[in-house]
Amino acid sequence: MRDNPHIYFDNNAATRLSPSVETWLKDNFITYYANPSSLHLLGQKLKDMIANDRRCIANFIGTNAKNIFFTSGATESINSVLQPIFLQEHGIEIVLTSRLEHSAVSSCVERLKRHSIRVLYINNDADGMLCPEHLSAQVKAHPHALVTLLGANNETGVVQDVAQLTAICRAQDCLVHLDGVQMLGKLPVNLEEMGVDYASFSAHKIGGLKGMGVTYAREPAQFTPLIIGGGQEEGLRGGTYNAGAIRSLRLALEDTRHWDLEKIASMRDFFECAVKNLKTKAQINCENSFRLCNTSNIHLPNQPADAMVMELARRGIYVATGSACHGAEPSHVLQGLGFNKDYAASCLRFSFANFNHSAEIEYALEVLHEVIDS
Ligand code: PLP
């Protein structure tokens, strides 16, 4: 382990390619260069391949092929749903959100404010759970709003009860959008059972290619596309089909069936237990909530997190200060939990994956001990 280690614990930011994806890309990617919208045989073969993949992907998330369309990633999917034109065309004047969202959502919401859409925030507790009573009061006061929910938090791993929150919203005729990016592979996802109206997902968090996302729409006919062009995706999203990336999502989803979530959870639990026994008074953020089995967000008192990321990387361990998107800024999510900037600036996120193993965790713990306690 000590010889040139390469230990990747940043899987909520991006994962390495899933085995089936890697094999498929090596063997096939250069073959499938034609345009799936072309009428000739090569194009039509790709069109059929996409239709088949679309059915599998839809089935995997508990819906039908006609209810999903492919995008360049979850950020685009989220932008499509939280776009001013779509909301205005549907008479939606109020959007309910939380202070714990990924910046793909929080940036869209900030823009909505500039388009005269009122934005209200659902309260959360210090363990990152949204308050159902507050949501209930808000939707009663503002029926027909759009509510955007983060199913599983990318920084803390906290999991919301999406079905319960959605039922509260739908009772008041509110539309619900789910940012389900971090749920895929780690939690069961059945969109029709959950009852959401829209949902956004990404391929590169589960071993698919980057730049590949999917949007779910319960009523696609009522959707206003963000990107228009050549009529692809039944007019829901213009732009040449990226058949290889779509295949990567399908294969990655299939590979998640072989993830050993219990193994990941026990590695994570072992890690947290040991971290709490470091001499420094380390704390696990949102420890009391139901969290993704792979995510651990820890506070290391008086240890600047950005310096820690660099020091750990020097020793071959790759972790994050939180979302890859907020760079060096202390996490708005941790601040949304009520922690101050100084506290947030001393927090690290470890996000594990199926390919990690316990020797890597033990090595990381040794290094943490050396760096912090000595
Ligand atoms: N939402 C969440 C919860 C995420 O973790 C991410 C990625 O970090 C996104 C949205 C954006 O996804 P993408 O990188 O596919 O645009």
Side-chain angles (χ1 to χ4, degrees):
M1 189 53 66
R2 284 274 165 174
D3 296 336
N4 206 9
H6 177 99
I7 299 177
Y8 188 73
F9 290 153
D10 195 15
N11 292 284
N12 285 9
T15 55
R16 69 160 69 152
L17 287 179
S18 192
S20 311
V21 175
E22 211 177 303
T23 310
W24 187 86
L25 289 173
K26 273 193 205 134
D27 296 346
N28 299 289
F29 198 53
I30 55 165
T31 320
Y32 292 110
Y33 54 83
N35 189 323
S37 301
S38 293
L39 288 180
H40 52 66
L41 190 68
L42 284 183
Q44 291 308 296
K45 264 175 87 173
L46 281 179
K47 194 175 166 205
D48 292 347
M49 184 172 111
I50 292 172
N52 191 8
D53 289 346
R54 190 189 302 278
R55 275 193 296 277
C56 293
I57 292 166
N59 184 41
F60 204 95
I61 53 177
T63 186
N64 300 303
K66 68 174 177 34
N67 294 94
I68 61 170
F69 62 92
F70 298 121
T71 63
S72 66
T75 299
E76 184 193 318
S77 296
I78 291 165
N79 272 262
S80 305
V81 179
L82 300 178
Q83 54 155 316
I85 298 178
F86 166 56
L87 300 184
Q88 279 157 355
E89 278 184 7
H90 289 78
I92 293 167
E93 293 168 353
I94 295 182
V95 167
L96 287 161
T97 183
S98 81
R99 292 185 179 79
L100 311 175
E101 303 298 311
H102 186 273
S103 35
V105 167
S106 53
S107 305
C108 283
V109 158
E110 282 306 311
R111 183 174 56 183
L112 291 176
K113 292 179 186 169
R114 300 199 296 275
H115 288 262
S116 307
I117 290 175
R118 223 175 130 200
V119 175
L120 300 168
Y121 292 86
I122 311 158
N123 292 344
N124 57 271
D125 65 19
D127 279 311
M129 294 305 292
L130 295 184
C131 173
E133 293 78 19
H134 187 240
L135 174 64
S136 179
Q138 291 281 31
V139 292
K140 274 186 190 137
H142 307 290
H144 314 300
L146 180 136
V147 182
T148 181
L149 298 172
L150 178 55
N153 192 287
N154 48 301
E155 295 193 30
T156 60
V158 172
V159 176
Q160 305 294 335
D161 185 340
V162 175
Q164 181 206 16
L165 299 174
T166 301
I168 293 172
C169 299
R170 294 205 46 184
Q172 303 300 326
D173 282 337
C174 290
L175 291 175
V176 178
H177 165 250
L178 172 69
D179 174 350
V181 170
Q182 296 291 345
M183 299 174 84
L184 277 190
K186 300 167 215 159
L187 293 167
V189 174
N190 187 319
L191 294 170
E192 293 191 358
E193 267 176 36
M194 285 173 182
V196 300
D197 297 278
Y198 297 99
S200 302
F201 300 99
S202 184
H204 72 104
K205 311 290 183 181
I206 56 162
L209 286 173
K210 291 174 187 65
M212 173 67 218
V214 56
T215 314
Y216 161 77
R218 197 160 66 87
E219 302 280 1
Q222 286 172 26
F223 190 68
T224 308
L226 173 68
I227 296 177
I228 49 175
Q232 292 90 349
E233 299 288 340
E234 305 294 326
L236 294 171
R237 199 273 190 180
T240 301
Y241 291 101
N242 190 347
I246 294 169
R247 175 51 60 101
S248 83
L249 174 59
R250 177 217 172 140
L251 294 173
L253 279 170
E254 287 172 357
D255 279 353
T256 64
R257 292 205 173 99
H258 308 296
W259 287 3
D260 185 346
L261 298 179
E262 277 177 26
K263 176 196 86 170
I264 300 172
S266 71
M267 284 190 309
R268 196 272 309 264
D269 293 348
F270 174 78
F271 174 76
E272 291 191 346
C273 199
V275 159
K276 284 193 283 188
N277 283 329
L278 289 169
K279 260 192 255 151
T280 183
K281 296 261 172 288
Q283 198 173 313
I284 313 297
N285 293 317
C286 301
E287 192 180 5
N288 302 321
S289 289
F290 176 52
R291 289 174 296 144
L292 292 174
C293 63
N294 78 320
T295 306
S296 193
N297 194 306
I298 61 176
H299 176 242
L300 298 167
N302 307 319
Q303 301 291 336
D306 40 4
M308 278 296 286
V309 169
M310 302 317 263
E311 181 57 26
L312 293 179
R314 216 174 55 76
R315 293 158 184 257
I317 302 169
Y318 301 98
V319 301
T321 54
S323 168
C325 306
H326 61 66
E329 271 297 295
S331 153
H332 71 272
V333 172
L334 296 174
Q335 293 178 65
L337 296 172
F339 297 118
N340 62 28
K341 276 194 177 181
D342 285 348
Y343 180 101
S346 294
C347 291
L348 286 182
R349 178 187 70 188
F350 289 72
S351 47
F352 308 112
N354 199 45
F355 60 76
N356 290 127
H357 47 85
S358 44
E360 293 178 322
I361 307 264
E362 278 160 26
Y363 173 68
L365 286 164
E366 260 174 55
V367 169
L368 279 176
H369 181 64
E370 274 172 28
V371 174
I372 298 169
D373 285 345
S374 54

